[in-house]
Amino acid sequence: MAAQLPYATIHQIFTRFQAAEPEPKGELHHTNAFTLLVAVALSAQATDKGVNRATAGLFPIADTPEKMLALGEEGLIDHIKTIGLYRNKAKNVIRLSEILVRDYGGQVPSSRAALQSLPGVGRKTANVVLNMWWHIPAQAVDTHIFRIGNRTGICPGKDVETVERAIEDQIPAEFQQHAHHWLILHGRYICTARKPRCADCLIHDLCPFEEKTA
């Protein structure tokens, strides 16, 4: 685990990220808050590309909780059976759809506590929805962010909640809204787990990672 980087260095890092990609976007396809919620819930232990392939046929016919309930669990399974843990995920999506219809008028709530009370929705999923749909600067820490946070010293921590707090405490407020997207994309395409592409890295000179690749 690298030591926490100085504030000035972190500001430089995110200034570069912002200059390269001013409006970073999540890669899960969605059309509204409900389809975003479902897509993120389906993405656990699955790739975004795999989820997008599955939802390409699902969301045109089930883009609201009511339509998802009309489709039913078996109908949902037909669309998502290429995704890992699809049976459990189908049960959760149907159950959360029931709760949204019953308790929230079919709308996705903008409260982290309310989101986390839904079946299959953990803190990371809730934070993605809060950030991407409600534009609340919540930080969804995945494996990419956890790795980068500790490898670079941008937001080190022994667990995901510690890393989340480090992002909130150490990254300047002006970058908070897009911070987790910049970090995820950097980890997915540049600062990869096994062989980071250090030669192509925007922050190569600011990163203390000792095992930099040529």
Side-chain angles (χ1 to χ4, degrees), residues 107-185:
Q107 301 300 307
V108 175
S110 58
S111 154
R112 180 185 284 116
L115 286 167
Q116 286 190 248
S117 73
L118 298 172
V121 178
R123 187 177 181 88
K124 186 183 82 169
T125 296
N127 282 351
V128 172
V129 174
L130 291 173
N131 184 287
M132 291 181 62
W133 193 259
W134 299 109
H135 306 297
I136 295 169
Q139 308 301 332
V141 177
D142 69 352
T143 55
H144 295 303
I145 293 180
F146 187 81
R147 178 178 68 255
I148 292 173
N150 284 292
R151 179 182 279 174
T152 65
I154 293 172
C155 45
K158 293 182 179 180
D159 53 53
V160 294
E161 290 194 8
T162 306
V163 171
E164 182 181 329
R165 287 196 297 272
I167 294 174
E168 294 170 347
D169 293 343
Q170 303 297 332
I171 294 175
E174 65 197 275
F175 303 119
Q176 287 281 327
Q177 181 62 50
H178 296 310
H180 91 275
H181 277 133
W182 282 316
L183 292 172
I184 287 172
L185 294 172

Side-chain angles (χ1 to χ4, degrees), residues 4-206:
Q4 176 69 57
L5 287 177
Y7 178 90
T9 303
I10 293 174
H11 194 282
Q12 280 186 277
I13 286 170
F14 282 90
T15 297
R16 293 182 190 182
F17 284 156
Q18 185 179 59
E21 186 67 56
E23 295 288 334
K25 305 293 183 185
E27 296 184 323
L28 286 171
H29 298 166
H30 62 282
T31 58
N32 56 27
F34 176 70
T35 54
L36 174 60
L37 175 63
V38 171
V40 180
L42 293 177
S43 71
Q45 299 183 47
T47 66
D48 287 0
K49 289 182 179 179
V51 172
N52 289 338
R53 283 194 296 270
T55 58
L58 172 64
F59 288 160
I61 62 172
D63 61 351
T64 67
E66 294 84 356
K67 291 178 182 177
M68 190 66 74
L69 292 175
L71 180 63
E73 188 174 323
E74 291 305 316
L76 174 56
I77 285 174
D78 285 342
H79 287 279
I80 67 169
K81 57 189 176 184
T82 57
I83 300 174
L85 307 175
Y86 67 90
R87 289 195 180 277
N88 191 53
K89 290 177 181 179
K91 288 180 181 178
N92 285 335
V93 169
I94 293 300
R95 287 170 57 211
L96 73 81
S97 297
E98 291 172 347
I99 294 170
L100 290 177
V101 170
R102 184 189 70 213
D103 298 342
Y104 298 99
Q107 301 300 307
V108 175
S110 58
S111 154
R112 180 185 284 116
L115 286 167
Q116 286 190 248
S117 73
L118 298 172
V121 178
R123 187 177 181 88
K124 186 183 82 169
T125 296
N127 282 351
V128 172
V129 174
L130 291 173
N131 184 287
M132 291 181 62
W133 193 259
W134 299 109
H135 306 297
I136 295 169
Q139 308 301 332
V141 177
D142 69 352
T143 55
H144 295 303
I145 293 180
F146 187 81
R147 178 178 68 255
I148 292 173
N150 284 292
R151 179 182 279 174
T152 65
I154 293 172
C155 45
K158 293 182 179 180
D159 53 53
V160 294
E161 290 194 8
T162 306
V163 171
E164 182 181 329
R165 287 196 297 272
I167 294 174
E168 294 170 347
D169 293 343
Q170 303 297 332
I171 294 175
E174 65 197 275
F175 303 119
Q176 287 281 327
Q177 181 62 50
H178 296 310
H180 91 275
H181 277 133
W182 282 316
L183 292 172
I184 287 172
L185 294 172
H186 191 65
R188 187 171 290 169
Y189 298 111
I190 301 295
C191 197
T192 53
R194 293 187 179 181
K195 191 176 180 181
R197 297 169 51 201
C198 297
D200 301 320
C201 179
L202 285 173
I203 61 170
H204 180 277
D205 57 315
L206 303 175

